[in-house]
Amino acid sequence: MFARSAIRAVVQPSSRLFSSSASRNFKVAVLGAGGGIGQPLSLLLKSDPLVTSLSLYDIRGAPGVAADVSHVDTASE
């Protein structure tokens, strides 16, 4: 079984190409953003340079957290 897949790998070049500089884009969703843990976690994640997109979700809505996060000046959305 392994021999067959090894032969396929040699005969058919892989469609995936690996680069030396990996893209560092992370989309993060915080569930429970209006809670006692979610709010500071959202602020910490917003300030992280690796996070490119931050989505906040909560059952009762999180308008206060969204306002707090919007004041942090970073490149993430």
Side-chain angles (χ1 to χ4, degrees):
M1 183 170 166
F2 177 71
R4 283 188 224 154
S5 60
I7 290 171
R8 277 189 233 139
V10 172
V11 174
Q12 299 173 350
S14 176
S15 63
R16 290 186 180 189
L17 300 175
F18 297 101
S19 66
S20 60
S21 62
S23 177
R24 298 282 180 151
N25 297 328
F26 292 102
K27 293 182 178 180
V28 179
V30 178
L31 307 178
I37 295 174
Q39 187 171 3
L41 178 64
S42 300
L43 291 168
L44 285 172
L45 287 172
K46 178 70 175 177
S47 63
D48 190 354
L50 297 178
V51 176
T52 57
S53 177
L54 181 63
S55 301
L56 305 176
Y57 297 98
D58 197 272
I59 293 174
R60 58 185 168 94
V65 178
D68 291 343
V69 170
S70 68
H71 293 299
V72 179
D73 188 26
T74 60
S76 65
E77 300 175 350

